[in-house]
Amino acid sequence: MASLPRSVLVVGSGGREHALVRALLRSPSRPRVIAAPGNAGIADDVPCFPIAADQIEGLVSLAQKEKVEFVVVGPEVPLSLGLVDRLSTLGIPAYGPKADGARLEASKIYTKEILQKYRIPTAAAAFFDSADAAIAYVRSRPAPIVIKADGLAAGKGVIVAQTHAEAEAGVRTLLALPGQGRPGKILVEDCLTGEETSLLVVVSGRDYIILPTSQDHKRIGDGDTGPNTGGMGTYSPAEVVTPALLEQIDREIVRPSVDGIAAEGIDFRGTLFIGIMLTPEGPSVLEYNTRFGDPETQVVLPRVSSDVLDLLWSAAIGKLSQHDLQVRPEHALCVVIAAKGYPEAYPKGDVIQLPAPLPPQITVFHAGTARNGAGQVVTAGGRVLGVTAIGSTLPAAAEAAYAICDQVVCSSKYFRRDIGAKQLKRQ
Ligand SMILES: Nc1ncnc2c1ncn2[C@@H]1O[C@H](COP(=O)(O)OP(=O)(O)O)[C@@H](O)[C@H]1O
Ligand SMILES: [Mg+2]
């Protein structure tokens, strides 16, 4: 085992970062952990500094001032703004790709070109920067058809159009989407069908470790209804990914992705999060993200029993092959508690009361939380908490998580009742 850093800065403020902080605090090497900007729950665990995740120079100065030996970057924005590049010039190792690797998330056109170049299964697509050409192409393809904005769009950049009329409107909407540059760029791609899954892969150059499987629930409503969200709940393992399927995904998608990225000259050290559609013709890549998933991390990391600090550090310093990943056999399930109204407008500042003490199999990860003037924990974002339970079976984990969700007191509390239900039905 490589000698581990004694101090770590975690960048970000969501449930994912709270899960990262908790996992790092479990390290037998007992590192000093700090976070920026963090949230109310993270601040209960470690010192937090009020520097937003997109304030690259502020984060760099903080890392220097606090003499941190390692930075773990949670969200995509600082990665694509080059935080890791800046840290690297100062000799501070970081977990997360440099801007060249982060482009795999920040540009869907770039990703599609990589997927095509390395013959990795993905939907056929064409790229446009003008409405007329895109609409002519849309008319030449069968509906449903998918329109995607090229750049980072915080989950608002994809339209699965059921009809040609909807697709044409989608072309105009996404070409005009703010924050995409002018002219905007879009992809028009064939619609795939099947169950979706995603895989978190810790990558370091040509080495990689596939983390335990998990399944997200994207829609706001029970039974996968209503608008898409950042994710309303997860469970791990995801039994839809059988060992044979995982082997196929590894062979057809993970290995060629990691090799292709390396062949492009990118020294990728961080998480490659691969969105996959399990089509009748086989697994097909929907997208790459270049950071841990939220809320996948809230079920995956609690199941990792080897030292997560060693895992991330080994990846960052190019010694990933020395980490021996150990995974607990138990099931984990996370229910996201959101503010009612999310993903549209929602109230902020509502007081949250958690049951205490929490049972040992429960962890409540904070996401959009803050402290008000009276020191009370209040809602401060759309997704507020992630209640993760560990259980010997999935139903046991679900029961334990929901018992806590019911006891959380908050006037704007909303959560899905059916996290894990699909897998339970299958069993
Ligand atoms: N080719 C496709 N066929 C069918 N559904 C798709 C396709 N591409 C994306 N989707 C749907 O849209 C969602 C968002 O697309 P994705 O590429 O993951 O972008 P992002 O997560 O950046 O919004 C996916 O989770 C999936 O449900
Ligand atoms: Mg996605």
Side-chain angles (χ1 to χ4, degrees):
M1 187 164 88
S3 92
L4 293 172
R6 286 158 302 179
S7 56
V8 190
L9 164 63
V10 175
V11 174
S13 60
R16 163 183 56 208
E17 287 77 21
H18 200 187
L20 282 163
V21 164
R22 285 288 176 94
L24 295 171
L25 290 173
R26 290 203 316 262
S27 173
S29 71
R30 305 179 63 87
R32 173 172 189 253
V33 179
I34 63 173
N39 56 39
I42 296 174
D44 281 343
D45 293 342
V46 302
C48 286
F49 296 81
I51 301 166
D54 61 355
Q55 298 301 305
I56 302 306
E57 290 314 312
L59 294 167
V60 169
S61 323
L62 175 68
Q64 288 177 302
K65 202 168 82 221
E66 294 295 317
K67 298 189 170 54
V68 300
E69 295 177 350
F70 186 34
V71 178
V72 174
V73 186
E76 58 274 21
V77 169
L79 296 171
S80 63
L81 291 176
L83 175 58
V84 176
D85 307 62
R86 283 282 287 124
L87 293 166
S88 154
T89 61
L90 298 167
I92 304 173
Y95 182 82
K98 294 183 180 169
D100 60 354
R103 235 183 117 201
L104 293 162
E105 172 159 1
S107 168
K108 289 191 192 295
I109 291 177
Y110 176 62
T111 292
K112 190 65 86 174
E113 288 169 343
I114 298 282
L115 292 168
Q116 289 170 343
K117 180 168 174 185
Y118 295 97
R119 302 183 180 286
I120 299 163
T122 188
F127 316 138
F128 302 96
D129 60 9
S130 87
D132 290 348
I135 286 170
Y137 178 78
V138 161
R139 289 187 180 148
S140 75
R141 310 293 292 182
I145 188 154
V146 181
I147 322 292
K148 297 186 174 188
D150 177 46
L152 293 178
K156 305 242 178 276
V158 174
I159 294 172
V160 181
Q162 295 306 317
T163 63
H164 281 112
E166 212 183 305
E168 291 178 22
V171 163
R172 294 185 200 283
T173 306
L174 294 186
L175 274 173
L177 201 69
Q180 299 280 325
R182 287 289 164 267
K185 294 198 210 69
I186 57 169
L187 296 79
V188 179
E189 74 178 44
D190 291 357
C191 189
L192 304 174
T193 54
E195 190 154 347
E196 275 184 70
T197 189
S198 53
L199 216 53
L200 293 172
V201 186
V202 174
V203 178
S204 180
R206 287 189 187 260
D207 295 330
Y208 64 89
I209 292 177
I210 298 177
L211 295 180
T213 58
S214 63
Q215 187 82 40
D216 189 10
H217 297 62
K218 281 271 163 215
R219 303 300 186 106
I220 188 71
D222 286 1
D224 298 328
T225 54
N228 263 323
T229 70
M232 294 303 296
T234 39
Y235 58 83
S236 174
E239 284 167 1
V240 60
V241 185
T242 59
L245 184 55
L246 186 59
E247 213 238 304
Q248 185 187 2
I249 293 173
D250 189 7
R251 195 176 58 244
E252 296 178 1
I253 292 177
V254 183
R255 183 80 260 175
S257 295
V258 170
D259 285 348
I261 291 165
E264 291 298 303
I266 299 171
D267 184 12
F268 193 103
R269 300 180 185 199
T271 307
L272 188 67
F273 167 130
I274 311 178
I276 296 167
M277 187 78 91
L278 302 172
T279 78
E281 290 78 41
S284 179
V285 175
L286 292 174
E287 64 163 349
Y288 293 132
N289 295 316
T290 61
R291 33 82 192 170
F292 279 109
D294 186 335
E296 286 86 351
T297 308
Q298 291 92 306
V299 288
V300 168
L301 290 186
R303 292 189 59 226
V304 174
S305 56
S306 48
D307 185 352
V308 171
L309 177 61
D310 184 68
L311 171 68
L312 305 184
W313 176 251
S314 302
I317 65 167
K319 300 222 158 32
L320 185 59
S321 59
Q322 293 176 14
H323 183 85
D324 180 20
L325 184 81
Q326 298 291 324
V327 177
R328 295 171 65 164
E330 289 97 334
H331 296 250
L333 182 136
C334 175
V335 180
V336 169
I337 296 184
K340 210 176 176 72
Y342 173 79
E344 271 90 53
Y346 52 82
K348 286 186 184 178
D350 286 337
V351 175
I352 306 165
Q353 281 172 286
L354 297 179
L358 291 169
Q361 75 272 31
I362 295 288
T363 311
V364 177
F365 296 116
H366 285 232
T369 67
R371 281 195 191 268
N372 65 13
Q376 295 164 303
V377 176
V378 297
T379 63
R383 292 187 297 163
V384 177
L385 301 170
V387 177
T388 294
I390 300 278
S392 55
T393 63
L394 188 64
E399 196 178 321
Y402 277 113
I404 298 301
C405 292
D406 285 328
Q407 291 168 51
V408 170
V409 179
C410 178
S411 58
S412 51
K413 173 173 88 169
Y414 169 82
F415 57 89
R416 273 181 66 161
R417 283 273 165 199
D418 65 343
I419 304 304
K422 237 195 242 167
Q423 173 151 318
L424 292 172
K425 227 176 281 162
R426 225 181 269 130
Q427 285 169 345

